[in-house]
Amino acid sequence: MTTTTQAVTAEKRNGSAQGGATTVSGGSTGATEPAGTRGRTSIADVVVVKIAGMAAREIPGVYDMGGGLSRTIGAVRDRVPGGRPNVGRGVKVEVGERQTAIDLDLVVEYGVPIADLARDVRENVIDAVERISGLEVVEVNITVNDVHLPDDEDPERPVEARVE
């Protein structure tokens, strides 16, 4: 666990983040307070997961997200009628009172420079999470689990017989 992740974990333990939700603004009560500050705002961990997942998928060169088993289960779930794609697959977050740390598991397209892709994903995720949630992103760790080759699993393409 990195030092920044440990800081977020300690902040979560000591702060008001309980039950998977984080208080972004403590707010105040009373009729004399401005309307915009009356009450608390809490953000559930799953919200940060979804924001980060959507932001990572926006970057060209990201083929899929998650490890092998989660992608297999996700592919089955996606084929079930009424099933929705899981935008949080391949995303793990630790959310503190004011900060978050994010881990992403990616599958990249063959030929895409991985270092450049990781930088673009990291920048987009940090921008989206900070802009939408108001939380400070202390780190985005990226693991590339696989490379999607052009000939991999193309269900639209018929399989050619090797012998006649």
Side-chain angles (χ1 to χ4, degrees), residues 73-133:
I73 292 170
V76 170
R77 184 181 301 142
D78 292 347
R79 289 190 177 101
V80 173
R84 294 181 292 152
N86 180 2
V87 297
R89 182 173 61 229
V91 182
K92 295 180 191 93
V93 300
E94 286 192 49
V95 182
E97 190 173 331
R98 295 174 309 276
Q99 298 177 326
T100 185
I102 302 168
D103 297 326
L104 303 171
D105 293 331
L106 303 179
V107 177
V108 301
E109 294 281 354
Y110 175 78
V112 175
I114 294 174
D116 295 342
L117 177 77
R119 183 191 64 244
D120 293 346
V121 168
R122 191 173 282 115
E123 288 174 354
N124 202 46
V125 167
I126 290 171
D127 178 59
V129 171
E130 288 184 346
R131 180 175 39 84
I132 296 171
S133 72

